Amino acid sequence: VQLQASGGGLVQAGSSLRLSCTASGNIAAVNALAWYRRTPGKQRELVAEITRRGDTNYANSVTGRFAISRDNAKNSMYLQMDRLQPEDTAVYYCNMHLEVGFLHQPGDYWGQGTLVTVSS
């Protein structure tokens, strides 16, 4: 199983970006999904998460500006980021809890990270 993240870039404050993450491989089921971010010198931070049935949870710092979504048919997840601020600058990582193969083996998978840079 591989996760491919995309959508990062360099934008000005107040702009929007949409991150995408798609899983490929012998995937039997897609369960909880989440986006994390990490900046130099800081611990990894949970940005947003979404359950299999669509319940969402956000970090206080992004509530009202970011929206997480999923497309189970495409084994994909997204993060719509609006009104970006310089403090949102980080490497963003997608995380998927998947069941893999005929035996539905559960596992925790990570994308390679995509850099978001917000200039003031």
Side-chain angles (χ1 to χ4, degrees):
V1 175
Q2 289 188 330
L3 272 58
Q4 181 67 46
S6 61
L10 171 62
V11 297
Q12 292 187 331
S15 300
S16 297
L17 280 175
R18 186 177 189 240
L19 305 183
S20 300
C21 181
T22 299
S24 60
N26 191 9
I27 298 166
V30 181
N31 297 319
L33 307 173
W35 287 97
Y36 288 80
R37 65 186 180 188
R38 175 172 281 165
T39 55
K42 293 186 178 181
Q43 289 187 332
R44 185 179 63 194
E45 174 190 22
L46 174 65
V47 177
E49 57 188 346
I50 184 169
T51 67
R52 186 169 183 173
R53 69 177 189 179
D55 296 327
T56 58
N57 180 52
Y58 296 93
N60 289 336
S61 59
V62 306
T63 297
R65 299 188 298 122
F66 290 12
I68 187 171
S69 60
R70 61 191 292 161
D71 185 336
N72 292 333
K74 296 181 178 180
N75 294 334
S76 295
M77 60 189 292
Y78 309 96
L79 185 67
Q80 178 66 40
M81 305 186 293
D82 297 326
R83 303 195 304 280
L84 282 160
Q85 302 168 5
E87 48 266 38
D88 294 318
T89 295
V91 177
Y92 285 72
Y93 298 90
C94 55
N95 171 248
M96 294 189 177
H97 296 277
L98 305 174
E99 295 174 26
V100 177
F102 177 75
L103 296 178
H104 285 237
Q105 184 70 35
D108 192 28
Y109 296 86
W110 293 86
Q112 82 282 11
T114 184
L115 177 62
V116 173
T117 304
V118 185
S119 63
S120 57

